[in-house]
Every structure is written in C-alpha cells, then in structure tokens.
Amino acid sequence: MQGMLGIEEALAIVIDRVRPGDTERIDGDLASGRVLREVVLSDQDMPPFDRARMDGHAFRGMETAGAAPTVPVRLAGVGEIAAGDFPERELRPGEAIRIMTGAPGPRGADAVERIEVIEVASDGSILIREPVTVGKNITPRAFEVAAGARLVEPGEKVTPALAALLATFGYSRVEVAVTPRVALISTGNELVEVAERPGPGKIRDSNTRALAGYVREAGGEVVSAAIVGDDFGATVKAIEAALESADLLLLSGGVSMGDYDLVKPSLRHCGAVIHFERVAMHPGKPTVFATRGDKLIFGLPGNPVSVAVAFFLFARPAMRHWQGATQVELPRARALCTARIKGAPPRRSHQPGRLSIEDGQARIAPLRWSGSGDLVGIMNANAMIVVPEQTSVVEAGQLTEIVLIPQ
C-alpha cells in the first residue's frame, strides 16, 4: 500500500487487478446493454441485391440521355416489383418496371426515378422528361458491407442499433460478458431505511439508491444491499456475507480516519489486501481499493458527491473492464465554463456542472453546491467539471475539461 496517489496511478492499480469475468451465450433480443464478447461477421452481402431507395420506376439510365421537357423518353411499363419479390427476368431495352422502396432491382436496370416526377400514359407506358443518371436511387449489392467482413469487435456495448445489426446478420444468439454481481453496504449509525422517518440526528440511506442506479448503468446486478452501524463486528460480518455472493463490493462511508471509520480495519480482518486508501482528488480523497482473491472491493466516502465521483472514476471502470468492454472510462470533452470555479490544489477537483450546447458551443455551468454532502448538487448534474491539480481558479469563459455523467 502506498501514500496518496494520483488519479491515473490509482486507476492503473485498479485495472491491473481486475480479472475479466466469464461469458455466456444468450438470445439476441436480451443482449441490449450487455458487453459483446465475440467478433461479429457479415454472413452475406448487404444489401444482398441492388436495392431501390425510392418508390418509382427502374430502367436503363442511358436510355434517358435525350429526355427533355418537350421531347420525353417513352418506356414500356412491364409490371411491378414489391419489397420481398425477386425479379426473375432481365429488363429489356426500352422497358421500365414499377418498383417499391427496398425491393431488388431487376437485371438490366441501373437507375430508379421517383414516382413523383414520372408520368404514366393511358397505355401504361411512362414518360421521362429529363435525363436520369446511372445509379440514381439504387444502392448496389454489397455497398454497405461484403460477406465475411468483420463488423464489430469484442468489447462493444450492445446498443439497440447493434442489436438490430446482430439480427440482420443472423445472430439469434450472441456471446456476452456475464453480468457482474455487486453487493452494497452503507455504513453509519446515522442511517435509517428509506421507508423510516428519521429521528433526531438520523438520515435516510440515499447512497444505496444512487449506487444501485450507477451499478445497473455500468452493466452490473445488485445482489445484496445492507445498512451497517459503526460496529466492528457487524461490519466484518456484513463484508463476509456480501463477498459470498458478489464479484464486487461497494461500501459507502466509514473510510476516513475517525474513531468510527471501521471499513479499513474490518477489511483487513476479513483478509482483504488494501492497495490504496487515499487519492489526490477532491472530493473523495479517502477512497479505498482492496481485493480478496478475485473479489474487488471499493470503500467510497459517504457523502453523495464523493460517492458519485469515486464510483465514476474507479468502480465503474473496474466493472466495465471486468466485462471486457473496450471503453471503460466515461467520455470526456472540453467546454466553456460559464462562471468562475475554484479548484482544490494540490488535488484534482471534480465538481458538478450542467452541460448545454448554445450556438454550437459546449458550455458548462457550475452548479451551486455546499460541498460533498450536497445531494441536490449532484442530482442536477450531467457532467463533472475537472479542475487540474495545480489550478486554483477556472475563470468564466475559459475552456475546461469535463467528464460526462451517464443519465
């Protein structure tokens, strides 16, 4: 164990100790939100035929080269192709065929003109009054992807769009990361259950609700949640019980240096190895990371903003890495700060902000908050404003780094 670490150094220690979890094959319609753990290949050309992009008529584009408003080209109408049909015969010179969006073009046709600009004569022939270029309104076979192409690499999160792609290429079942099982323990004599009315000196346990949501967004499953008072024996018992069923344990509160901060001695008593217990960050300096075997344990400061910052910077990347995700950290960007904001040298500060786009420019508004215990401040945030370690103040109008918070 070392002294106070920089954020990158601490995160590297976390990631180095994460062992990727198992995989499982599940139905594709259940895969959204999971992390893909196999290569996705195209089993066919896409589109698998020359595909019409408009309702209209298909024909040979070169035959319309001489078309003019007063001298139209006349082509014989020879039927219709609907989506799902497949034309058997080749289109002959001088012919045009009615075609629907998404339908395969017949052999011999190389252009489609939309129905709105085509005149249909009483004898069924069509009149075209301006030239139509070859390839117009047709997507050629294999234009999007050829059979055998690698479409998606392992580590991607299955989005609804990716789920549709999996279906398109025949992946009725798909290999994904097993969902990490996460246990939650909130510590402190002051905590009562949400359904209780707090008595003097008591508060409801909000961290469990917040962490449960953060865990689910990161792809995990909450398998247990408990409130434990400031009692060494009870804390040890709760940790042991949680580690029986969980891959990852999140404790909130009890990680500082006070007489009632019992998480670290309890972890040591349970045989856990503490890898760090202080990080050069604000808020959240007393963040703890420990392991027992392959089990990952995070002791998060108890205040709501500290819980969020420490989870997003360390626990969430650990969960994503455990699932084999390519992108483990939250996305970052730069935005104009709309008001003056103070840093906390020599620690890097992460403060709640509200990101907006105005006139094409990303702007971040610092939210009024009274410190790391301000639940309302983090509730209204959709980004964290990053103030570097050696920066005392970011002035209004300055560009600053932000970390996007998942909503």
Side-chain angles (χ1 to χ4, degrees), residues 214 217 307-317 330 378 384 405-406:
Y214 298 154
E217 182 281 326
V307 164
V309 171
F311 179 87
F312 292 142
L313 294 183
F314 300 113
R316 187 184 186 280
L330 289 172
I378 194 64
M384 296 187 296
I405 295 176

Side-chain angles (χ1 to χ4, degrees), residues 190-204:
E190 73 278 16
L191 299 178
V192 299
E193 297 286 353
V194 174
E196 295 183 40
R197 186 171 185 82
K202 305 293 185 180
I203 59 172
R204 293 186 176 97

Side-chain angles (χ1 to χ4, degrees), residues 173-191:
R173 293 178 65 79
V174 63
E175 193 82 9
V176 297
V178 168
T179 301
R181 299 164 299 173
V182 182
L184 307 177
I185 299 176
S186 291
T187 70
N189 287 335
E190 73 278 16
L191 299 178

Side-chain angles (χ1 to χ4, degrees), residues 184-191 203 205 207-208 211 226 228-230 235 239 250-258 260-267 286-288 297-304 306-308 310:
L184 307 177
I185 299 176
S186 291
T187 70
N189 287 335
E190 73 278 16
L191 299 178
I203 59 172
D205 170 30
N207 283 342
T208 294
L211 285 170
V228 181
D230 295 319
T235 304
I239 290 171
L250 299 175
L251 300 106
S252 61
V255 294
S256 194
M257 304 294 289
Y260 296 99
D261 291 316
L262 303 174
V263 165
K264 286 180 287 186
S266 298
L267 289 174
T287 295
V288 174
I297 305 167
F298 291 89
L300 312 177
N303 287 325
S306 299
V307 164

Side-chain angles (χ1 to χ4, degrees), residues 17-312:
R17 285 161 177 78
V18 176
R19 300 293 174 261
D22 294 332
T23 66
E24 61 180 340
R25 186 164 289 277
I26 64 173
D27 289 343
D29 58 359
L30 302 176
S32 287
R34 304 289 289 275
V35 175
L36 189 69
R37 291 289 289 274
E38 67 173 311
V39 175
V40 176
L41 302 173
S42 169
D43 69 341
Q44 61 178 339
D45 293 336
M46 186 55 62
F49 42 75
D50 293 344
R51 183 176 63 200
R53 295 201 296 265
M54 298 276 184
D55 289 348
H57 285 79
F59 44 80
R60 288 173 168 80
M62 62 177 295
E63 294 186 331
T64 68
T70 57
V71 187
V73 168
R74 184 184 293 269
L75 300 173
V78 292
E80 179 180 282
I81 306 170
D85 292 344
F86 192 82
E88 295 296 335
R89 83 169 180 86
E90 183 175 356
L91 198 68
R92 300 187 182 96
E95 292 181 339
I97 191 167
R98 180 86 165 85
I99 194 167
M100 307 303 172
T101 302
R107 287 175 294 124
D110 56 23
V112 171
E113 183 58 281
R114 65 188 189 280
I115 193 170
E116 293 88 348
V117 300
I118 286 181
E119 297 176 43
V120 179
S122 58
D123 61 359
S125 62
I126 68 168
L127 303 177
I128 299 174
R129 297 185 180 276
E130 61 180 30
V132 178
T133 57
V134 171
K136 183 175 183 181
N137 294 326
I138 288 183
T139 301
R141 177 174 180 163
F143 179 81
E144 296 166 6
V145 66
R150 294 172 73 99
L151 300 172
V152 187
E153 298 296 325
E156 292 294 319
K157 180 179 179 180
V158 180
T159 62
L162 178 48
L165 183 142
L166 292 169
T168 296
F169 293 100
Y171 284 79
S172 60
R173 293 178 65 79
V174 63
E175 193 82 9
V176 297
V178 168
T179 301
R181 299 164 299 173
V182 182
L184 307 177
I185 299 176
S186 291
T187 70
N189 287 335
E190 73 278 16
L191 299 178
V192 299
E193 297 286 353
V194 174
E196 295 183 40
R197 186 171 185 82
K202 305 293 185 180
I203 59 172
R204 293 186 176 97
D205 170 30
S206 61
N207 283 342
T208 294
R209 291 283 180 92
L211 285 170
Y214 298 154
V215 164
R216 294 184 186 106
E217 182 281 326
E221 175 192 3
V222 176
V223 294
S224 66
I227 296 175
V228 181
D230 295 319
D231 177 89
F232 180 77
T235 304
V236 168
K237 184 177 179 180
I239 290 171
E240 291 284 6
L243 291 177
E244 286 183 8
S245 60
D247 304 300
L248 185 144
L249 168 60
L250 299 175
L251 300 106
S252 61
V255 294
S256 194
M257 304 294 289
D259 293 341
Y260 296 99
D261 291 316
L262 303 174
V263 165
K264 286 180 287 186
S266 298
L267 289 174
R268 292 189 181 97
H269 184 83
C270 293
V273 177
I274 295 178
H275 301 287
F276 61 76
E277 57 185 72
R278 291 194 305 160
V279 183
M281 56 190 276
H282 168 264
K285 181 176 74 172
T287 295
V288 174
F289 171 61
T291 56
R292 193 175 79 173
D294 288 341
K295 308 278 187 174
L296 307 174
I297 305 167
F298 291 89
L300 312 177
N303 287 325
V305 181
S306 299
V307 164
V309 171
F311 179 87
F312 292 142

